[in-house]
Amino acid sequence: MSVFREFRLLLFLMVAFILLWVVLGNETQEEETNPLLSSYNHTYPGLKAWFLLLEELGIPVRRLTQRFPEEPDHRGLLVIAAPVVPLDSEEADRTLSWVKGGGNLFYIGGLMGNPALERRLGIERKRVKAEDGAVSPVRRNAFTEYVGNLFVGTGFLGRVFPGQFRFKKLPPGAVPAYADKNGPLLAHWRLGEGRVIALADPAPLSNQYIDREGNARLAVWVAKK
C-alpha cells in the first residue's frame, strides 16, 4: 500500500513559488546562475521544466503569483519551493493550519531557506559536501519501487549550489524515504489531517536534472498520487 495513497484524489496542483510581490515572468532577463526556483525560470536551478511536464501530462496546475494568498483548497497539493521572500510568521501559521485541516504540502528547501515555516514543520537542513550520483531509497515500498534512485548534482559550475542539502532534523513520526551518508534527502509525515512531503535539496526537480528517470518519476508521482 503506497504511503501517498491520499494524493490519488487530488483535483489540482498549486505550484506556489512564492518569490516576490509580483510574478518573475521575464525569462530573457534571467541569468544562468539565477538561484530562483521559480517555475518561470528556465535555467538552473529553475523548475519550469517540471511545470511544463505536468501541463503536458494534463495535470491541472496553477501558479500562485503573489505572497501566500487566501486559504487554498484542501483537495490540492501546495508546493512551496524555497521562496526568495520567506513566509513570515503569520503566513507560516496559516500554512500549518491549512495542512492540519487536511491539506497536502510539498516543501522543497533551497539556498535561501524558509526559517519560520521550517521551524513550524520541525525540520532543519544542513549543507553537505557536493557529490554527484544517486541517492537510494531507505526502504522499499510502492513509492520507492516506482521512483527508483534520485539523482543529485553538484550545482551549475559550483556557482549556484556549491553544496547539497540534507535534513539535520525531522519531526517525530517523520519517515525518511531517501537518504545517503550525508543524511535524509526526502521524508514524509502526517500533520493533523494532512500530510507533508519535504525535499531537502531542489536538485532532483531542477531543469538540469529532472530528465533523470527517478527524478522525473518523483515529479509526476507527487502530483498524481
Side-chain angles (χ1 to χ4, degrees):
M1 184 69 68
S2 169
V3 294
F4 296 108
R5 181 178 179 183
E6 290 79 2
F7 292 138
R8 292 176 180 171
L9 299 179
L10 297 183
L11 298 183
F12 63 91
L13 173 70
M14 297 182 295
V15 181
F17 303 123
I18 307 170
L19 301 173
L20 298 174
W21 289 97
V22 295
V23 169
L24 297 175
N26 190 347
E27 298 173 3
T28 61
Q29 296 179 358
E30 297 183 54
E31 300 178 356
E32 290 184 344
T33 55
N34 189 339
L36 303 184
L37 294 184
S38 169
S39 59
Y40 293 93
N41 186 354
H42 66 285
T43 62
Y44 185 85
L47 300 172
K48 184 175 181 178
W50 182 24
F51 182 86
L52 294 177
L53 172 63
L54 297 179
E55 282 196 326
E56 185 69 20
L57 293 174
I59 300 173
V61 184
R62 67 183 177 93
R63 295 176 171 108
L64 301 183
T65 57
Q66 299 179 357
R67 293 183 67 88
F68 200 85
E70 68 280 358
E71 188 169 302
D73 192 315
H74 280 173
R75 295 168 295 179
L77 173 67
L78 175 65
V79 179
I80 297 182
V84 170
V85 180
L87 274 66
D88 58 30
S89 296
E90 182 180 344
E91 291 167 329
D93 287 338
R94 200 183 318 155
T95 303
L96 216 65
S97 176
W98 174 76
V99 175
K100 289 179 178 178
N104 297 296
L105 172 67
F106 186 18
Y107 177 72
I108 305 172
L111 183 64
M112 308 302 292
N114 200 331
L117 182 58
E118 290 185 3
R119 282 196 301 270
R120 285 159 176 78
L121 291 174
I123 60 176
E124 291 182 23
R125 296 183 307 128
K126 61 181 179 180
R127 172 169 280 170
V128 300
K129 184 178 180 180
E131 296 180 0
D132 283 317
V135 177
S136 302
V138 173
R139 56 180 55 82
R140 296 179 63 179
N141 53 37
F143 166 60
T144 58
E145 284 290 308
Y146 172 79
V147 173
N149 293 334
L150 295 177
F151 178 83
V152 293
T154 59
F156 186 77
L157 301 180
R159 291 181 294 176
V160 178
F161 289 112
Q164 300 297 312
F165 290 90
R166 299 291 185 274
F167 287 113
K168 178 180 178 181
K169 175 187 175 183
L170 290 168
V175 179
Y178 284 84
D180 57 15
K181 65 181 182 180
N182 296 310
L185 172 66
L186 187 147
H188 57 88
W189 62 94
R190 282 200 166 279
L191 187 59
E193 297 297 319
R195 186 179 292 278
V196 177
I197 307 173
L199 182 65
D201 191 278
L205 297 178
S206 68
N207 295 324
Q208 183 143 328
Y209 301 130
I210 198 172
D211 62 339
R212 304 301 178 101
E213 182 177 358
N215 298 358
R217 287 177 176 270
L218 171 66
V220 175
W221 180 278
V222 296
K224 294 186 68 174
K225 298 296 180 178

